[in-house]
Amino acid sequence: MCHLYRLRPGAEAEYERRHAEVWPELSALLDEAGIYEYAIYRRDLLLICVLRTRAGFAHAGAVTAASPVQARWTASLAHLFAEIADADGEPLWAHRVFHHPGHPPPA
């Protein structure tokens, strides 16, 4: 899965600081939800979030949405975002246009 966020101008340093100090209980929740290989990239105010799920996004979203830990984390960051969803409340999904799996380097 890949989705996008847009930060408010001036929020870059706080956003990066907060993610350098992710709560252990939030990491445990991501594991419980079956989320793995979760990475966030930033280009100026644009955030690109890429993740994999073991049981699909619907399952992972249901587990995290039911969690008070996720609610606290989201609320603590809300002031940093300019845009996180479309008009219907759906994440700003990015759809893969190209993929080259390549070959891993020799061991």
Side-chain angles (χ1 to χ4, degrees), residues 7-17 42 44-45 80:
L7 290 171
R8 293 184 189 283
E12 304 92 334
E14 183 178 352
Y15 184 84
E16 290 192 13
R17 179 185 58 77
R42 185 175 71 78
D44 300 321
L45 299 176
L80 301 176

Side-chain angles (χ1 to χ4, degrees), residues 4-68:
L4 309 173
Y5 293 124
R6 192 168 309 279
L7 290 171
R8 293 184 189 283
E12 304 92 334
E14 183 178 352
Y15 184 84
E16 290 192 13
R17 179 185 58 77
R18 295 291 307 281
H19 282 81
E21 304 167 353
V22 169
W23 305 339
E25 60 267 35
L26 183 64
S27 292
L29 175 63
L30 296 175
D31 291 339
E32 177 188 338
I35 296 170
Y36 68 103
E37 289 188 24
Y38 189 174
I40 302 172
Y41 303 88
R42 185 175 71 78
R43 165 81 182 195
D44 300 321
L45 299 176
L46 180 65
L47 300 172
I48 303 158
C49 305
V50 180
L51 60 99
R52 301 182 117 196
T53 64
R54 288 183 174 72
F57 183 77
H59 170 77
V63 171
T64 58
S67 169

Side-chain angles (χ1 to χ4, degrees), residues 1-4 49 51 57-58 84-86 90-95:
M1 319 290 314
C2 179
H3 58 96
L4 309 173
C49 305
L51 60 99
F57 183 77
I84 62 169
D86 67 16
E90 280 293 309
L92 302 172
W93 296 115
H95 302 281

